[in-house]
Amino acid sequence: MRSSALAVACAAVLIAAPGSVRANPLDTFGFGSRESAMGGAVVADTWSFAANYYNPAGLISAPGTQMSVGYFHAAQHLQVNGLDNNVDPVRGIVGGLVVPGKLLGLPLAFGVAVHLPDDRLSRVHSLKDEAPRWEMYDNRSQLLFIATNLAIRPVDWLDIGGGVAYLAATRARMDISGFAVIPPGDPYDSQLRHEVDGDLTTVRFPLLGVRIHLSDRVHIGLAYRGESKLDLKFSAYLHGQVGYDLIRVPATYSLESHTYDVFHPRQAVLGATWLFHPRARVGLDLTWIDWSSYERPISNSSTRLDVDTGGLPLVIPPSPKPTVAVDPGFHDRIQPRVGVELIAVRCAHFALPVRAGYVWDPSPVPDQVGNTNSIDTDRHTFSLGAGVKLTALLEEIPGDITVDVHAAYSVLPARKVYKENPADFVGDYEASGNMLALGATLGLGF
Amino acid sequence: MTRRLSASFLPHHARAAAVFLFIGAGAAGVALAVNACGVRAPDSHGDENLPNAKAGPFRVLRAGEAPPQDRTMPYALRRKGTRDPCALDIDGNPATPDVRLYVAASDRSYPDGPPVAILAFEAADGRSFDPKTEDATVLVPSEAWEEGRVGAPSVLRVGNQVWMYYDAAGGIGLARSDDGLHFTKVPTPVLTADAAVAWEAGATPSEPSVVQVDDGSFRMFYVAASSIGEARSLDGERWERVTGGPAISPVAPPDFPTPDADSVYEPIDDVRVSGPFAVMGTSSLGRRILRVYYAGLNRIGLWSLGLAARYDGDGVLQRAYGPVLGNLYAPKGPSVVFFDDFTLLWFTAPEDRTKPDSAPAIGEGVAPATVSLQLPGL
């Protein structure tokens, strides 16, 4: 009962607390060494802190309270026309907690998980519509992830889980007033005052999961991850005088910019795990990803310049046309994943599992024949891993100590882009690349 | 089989949990400290070596990008009355930016008058042209049909020779040279007015730009009336106009899809197009592209530089999505040379940007705009 209260209390506090950020380095590189080594094909076969991402219903299968901490580093060697674009690596601490218990006689479990980047907490990068960028890997992977979930087992053959995650939204305003010197005067002679007002708000979105135990050896899992996006709004207002020397012209300039960044599409995962041998299991997942709803991190902006020339024969440039992001036209995708786990060695206090996995991540990005330049290719990821599991090693730790490691190598086969307009400023290009992710996770079970 | 947490063994686990949490919290704390406690996050990357056709947009050169240090930028050449530049890569090697710049020049005592000579200036870095170069003249009027003027040079390498097309009062002429400095003229113009071409309205063709395409034939783009026409030739001397209207004509693009009543979107070339410069290039995937840079005048009197292009040597030219150089310097008469790492642009601009009627000079720009040009020896 005490553990149940603890689980409920933790969940209540974390679900109510704003300020966390959830994003998707996990989509790309996986979460937890065991699950990453199996290609993420674990929607029906996860019970550690990683279940907070793959399937919250899996939390209920945790054999006891579990704490985990780990680290992973993913190097991205992404190239265009044979030249490396030096896309930032993704790395950070992963970890979490699973606390199972009972509430009113029903099995209940609480979980929390975090991915904490160790070079920056988050990064957003808003570009012009036509600016080339690795759409999937430039900054979508550069965010803090926190998720909290609850799971219950209402009947023996059914697990249900769900939770809440958060997204931070930013609104900012900048007011500038004073005298702006324009060429041929020296702009450094400008006397301007500015005021910045920023606001952070949160957006919640759901994580849901179900597991069905068809038998002791066959399990089916279904998970849903909601859509999220970072809502960035910025406005600037300049009011004052513009000119040089004795020429001073009253002017106002306003800028409104609205950007959605770090878009994370809705996902639905259906998968199954088959324990085809007492020491071996295989998992197969299919993930539907709602990429057709994708919104590119493009600034929708408008500006307006009003200048009172007082009848002077001055040529005032017209206000530029407002920028509106082009529909990226992404396609929904089905992403297959397969993973296997084999207990190579097992004795009373020791087990040595080995794992392998594969993911085919078809690109949702259409051929960039027009003005936009979202660089992306298909991705084939091959993963390997192993673990050491020590059981009842110490009196203080009657449960398990696990150490899991994994390596995942992704191949991004070459994709050629031929522009329809020969006057295109970016022109034809060929994109390709590879990624190498390494990680380790230490787990402690009671 | 399944163990559950119970109060009875909590004390035993507490020590281990404390150690474990201490390690985890310590690691997380270090990461947070790096992020949030005064240590600046590393610079972001991901935008290096991104694809760029290096065809524009250009930025003008900045102070310090061309010697001498006190050179007034973006003027590559300020010699009274010079205009209509045409650049030639001297050694034809895109790894080295050594350039000979041919310009039309008016009488220095009458810099706004018609061009009466073609001059050549050289710079090993493509930027440090010396306006005081002696004996820079490479072509002067000598034929009756020229009526005392030569201008708008278009220079290209053909085999071991350098050919120069130029405009004069009676049409477009051709001169050939073995060294690019001493030219021998073809005595008659190679393209003259043709009253049968309706859109030219009987105007004498001017401001030629000639390029040799992959099959060895030539294409000429020239100005007549307010448009740019095209002609083709097998030998560079006998030209045949391409029928079907001008290659580039002033046209207002369709209204912006979501017009803002308070905003005015001005096209760059809805009144006049002029000063074509044609150049062959290759895309990153090996497709051949014929690009035509040109100057455009819009309805509020602003000049900008535009780009139209087509794959291979023939066909319809498609405009770029935006100007390659804006109207700040009222640029006209572009010329472009592609090098390995960047592309240089020369253009005619008023020598005083704030006085559009001031004498012409030669401005210079570079693409991609993110490139920083280093001075030689630095």
Side-chain angles (χ1 to χ4, degrees):
Chain A
M1 195 61 203
R2 183 172 175 173
S3 61
S4 305
L6 176 63
V8 172
C10 290
V13 168
L14 287 172
I15 288 173
S20 305
V21 184
R22 193 271 192 197
N24 42 47
L26 322 185
D27 284 356
T28 306
F29 302 107
F31 193 46
S33 281
R34 174 182 178 269
E35 288 76 7
S36 298
M38 296 178 68
V42 293
V43 70
D45 186 28
T46 180
W47 57 81
S48 70
F49 74 104
N52 285 288
Y53 168 71
Y54 288 106
N55 187 347
L59 295 169
I60 202 70
S61 295
T65 298
Q66 290 188 327
M67 288 182 287
S68 303
V69 65
Y71 188 83
F72 94 100
H73 180 112
Q76 307 186 89
H77 305 288
L78 305 177
Q79 303 177 340
V80 175
N81 295 330
L83 298 174
D84 197 308
N85 304 127
N86 201 12
V87 175
D88 284 342
V90 181
R91 62 188 188 224
I93 296 167
V94 297
L97 175 72
V98 182
V99 181
K102 284 194 174 183
L103 180 67
L104 303 176
L106 280 180
L108 171 83
F110 162 74
V112 59
V114 62
H115 162 72
L116 180 64
D118 68 355
D119 55 356
R120 60 177 68 83
L121 287 180
S122 69
R123 173 194 178 194
V124 293
H125 194 195
S126 181
L127 298 168
K128 291 192 295 183
D129 216 359
E130 65 274 18
R133 86 293 306 272
W134 281 92
E135 193 78 35
M136 298 294 144
Y137 311 115
D138 181 19
N139 65 346
R140 290 182 65 252
S141 303
Q142 302 279 350
L143 283 179
L144 173 67
F145 167 92
I146 295 179
T148 62
N149 291 279
L150 281 174
I152 59 171
R153 179 172 286 165
V155 291
D156 286 346
W157 53 272
L158 178 64
D159 303 336
I160 300 173
V164 179
Y166 306 90
L167 195 68
T170 305
R171 291 176 180 81
R173 177 177 177 80
M174 180 167 66
D175 289 340
I176 303 173
S177 60
F179 175 53
V181 178
I182 60 174
D186 186 348
Y188 289 102
D189 290 338
S190 300
Q191 295 178 341
L192 297 169
R193 297 171 295 280
H194 70 270
E195 179 179 315
V196 178
D197 181 17
D199 183 26
L200 289 174
T201 59
T202 59
V203 178
R204 294 180 173 88
F205 65 94
L207 301 166
L208 302 169
V210 173
R211 284 207 317 170
I212 300 170
H213 307 286
L214 296 181
S215 70
D216 289 342
R217 293 191 169 193
V218 179
H219 311 282
I220 292 176
L222 180 65
Y224 172 81
R225 295 188 273 272
E227 177 184 295
S228 63
K229 55 192 173 189
L230 205 56
D231 187 1
L232 304 169
K233 288 184 178 176
F234 178 81
S235 66
Y237 183 65
L238 184 152
H239 53 97
Q241 294 176 315
V242 177
Y244 68 98
D245 290 342
L246 299 178
I247 301 174
R248 297 196 174 204
V249 177
T252 61
Y253 176 80
S254 63
L255 163 70
E256 296 285 343
S257 176
H258 187 197
T259 305
Y260 289 119
D261 207 338
V262 200
F263 184 93
H264 178 253
R266 287 184 302 161
Q267 301 176 29
V269 190
L270 174 64
T273 291
W274 174 34
L275 285 70
F276 61 94
H277 185 275
R279 289 188 175 191
R281 65 184 69 202
V282 59
L284 173 66
D285 284 9
L286 295 173
T287 304
W288 169 79
I289 307 176
D290 181 25
W291 281 120
S292 59
S293 300
Y294 183 71
E295 296 182 51
R296 302 175 74 226
I298 304 300
S299 173
N300 292 271
S301 62
S302 62
T303 62
R304 177 169 177 160
L305 174 66
D306 291 322
V307 179
D308 180 5
T309 62
L312 295 173
L314 299 177
V315 176
I316 305 301
S319 297
K321 62 182 180 180
T323 60
V324 179
V326 175
D327 180 0
F330 281 19
H331 307 297
D332 290 353
R333 284 291 181 258
I334 301 289
Q335 182 188 69
R337 298 169 177 266
V338 61
V340 295
E341 182 179 51
L342 173 68
I343 309 299
V345 178
R346 182 162 68 187
C347 57
H349 299 285
F350 178 80
L352 177 66
V354 294
R355 305 166 182 121
Y358 167 75
V359 185
W360 176 41
D361 196 1
S363 172
V365 180
D367 287 341
Q368 300 292 287
V369 297
N371 194 28
T372 60
N373 291 285
S374 299
I375 306 173
D376 191 40
T377 81
D378 293 349
R379 190 166 69 112
H380 302 271
T381 300
F382 306 89
S383 52
L384 290 172
V388 172
K389 182 178 180 182
L390 305 172
T391 303
L393 191 65
L394 300 171
E395 181 186 357
E396 290 83 359
I397 310 175
D400 305 327
I401 298 175
T402 58
V403 178
D404 295 306
V405 297
H406 79 278
Y409 182 72
S410 300
V411 177
L412 286 73
R415 182 177 187 180
K416 294 181 178 180
V417 173
Y418 292 95
K419 291 294 183 181
E420 288 179 343
N421 187 345
D424 191 281
F425 292 139
V426 171
D428 300 341
Y429 56 86
E430 180 182 86
S432 62
N434 61 76
M435 302 171 175
L436 178 62
L438 302 172
T441 305
L442 172 65
L444 181 64
F446 298 97
Chain B
M1 182 69 185
T2 300
R3 297 186 309 277
R4 297 294 182 200
L5 186 68
S6 68
S8 63
F9 62 82
L10 269 176
H12 295 287
H13 299 152
R15 284 183 294 171
V19 171
F20 193 82
L21 285 174
F22 178 78
I23 295 171
V30 169
L32 281 172
V34 170
N35 277 293
C37 295
V39 179
R40 181 176 176 271
D43 291 338
S44 297
H45 301 96
D47 52 2
E48 299 169 20
N49 300 318
L50 289 170
N52 192 308
K54 298 199 288 284
F58 293 86
R59 65 164 175 84
V60 296
L61 295 195
R62 303 186 186 111
E65 287 190 317
Q69 287 281 1
D70 58 352
R71 180 187 291 262
T72 302
M73 300 309 285
Y75 297 102
L77 188 64
R78 294 182 94 176
R79 177 161 162 155
K80 277 206 179 301
T82 54
R83 69 188 73 170
D84 297 334
C86 183
L88 180 72
D89 186 347
I90 295 175
D91 61 4
N93 179 4
T96 55
D98 49 346
V99 166
R100 182 180 298 132
L101 195 65
Y102 297 87
V103 298
S106 302
D107 189 318
R108 298 183 80 166
S109 62
Y110 183 29
D112 292 327
V116 295
I118 292 173
L119 314 181
F121 301 85
E122 295 185 2
D125 60 2
R127 289 164 275 159
S128 54
F129 302 100
D130 182 2
K132 298 175 182 174
T133 301
E134 299 291 339
D135 301 326
T137 302
V138 296
L139 201 75
V140 295
S142 60
E143 307 297 327
W145 65 269
E146 295 169 347
E147 297 182 17
R149 54 163 289 193
V150 290
S154 169
V155 182
L156 69 159
R157 196 180 303 281
V158 181
N160 293 324
Q161 287 191 311
V162 174
W163 291 10
M164 178 191 292
Y165 293 85
Y166 60 95
D167 70 8
I172 293 171
L174 168 63
R176 296 188 178 97
S177 169
D178 291 328
D179 61 3
L181 298 173
H182 303 88
F183 286 87
T184 303
K185 292 180 179 176
V186 173
T188 57
V190 297
L191 194 71
T192 58
D194 185 348
V197 182
W199 69 266
E200 294 186 12
T204 301
S206 62
E207 302 180 52
S209 180
V210 177
V211 64
Q212 190 171 23
V213 297
D214 293 343
D215 65 2
S217 63
F218 299 86
R219 301 291 181 274
M220 176 192 290
F221 295 87
Y222 60 91
V223 173
S226 58
S227 296
I228 294 172
E230 181 180 359
R232 61 165 65 98
S233 171
L234 294 176
D235 61 4
E237 270 196 55
R238 291 180 292 275
W239 290 88
E240 174 190 10
R241 283 176 166 82
V242 174
T243 58
I248 306 173
S249 56
V251 61
D255 289 338
F256 192 67
T258 56
D260 179 344
D262 294 329
S263 298
V264 181
Y265 173 52
E266 286 295 336
I268 68 164
D269 55 0
D270 55 337
V271 173
R272 177 181 173 81
V273 292
S274 68
F277 178 82
V279 58
M280 288 297 295
T282 305
S283 84
S284 297
L285 297 182
R287 291 198 291 180
R288 295 289 283 165
I289 301 173
L290 192 156
R291 294 186 175 96
V292 182
Y293 293 88
Y294 64 94
L297 175 68
N298 71 4
R299 71 187 74 168
I300 60 173
L302 300 175
W303 285 92
S304 305
L305 297 185
L307 169 65
R310 67 192 182 208
Y311 292 114
D312 301 319
D314 295 299
V316 176
L317 293 166
Q318 293 185 60
R319 280 177 163 82
Y321 297 114
V324 295
L325 188 67
N327 55 42
L328 190 60
Y329 289 88
K332 301 175 192 171
S335 178
V336 166
V337 175
F338 285 74
F339 297 103
D340 282 345
D341 298 327
F342 52 82
T343 302
L344 292 178
L345 162 76
W346 296 267
F347 55 92
T348 305
E351 67 173 357
D352 184 343
R353 183 175 61 81
T354 64
K355 298 175 182 173
D357 296 331
S358 59
I362 308 300
E364 188 166 353
V366 65
T370 51
V371 166
S372 292
L373 298 177
Q374 300 296 316
L375 291 177
L378 296 181

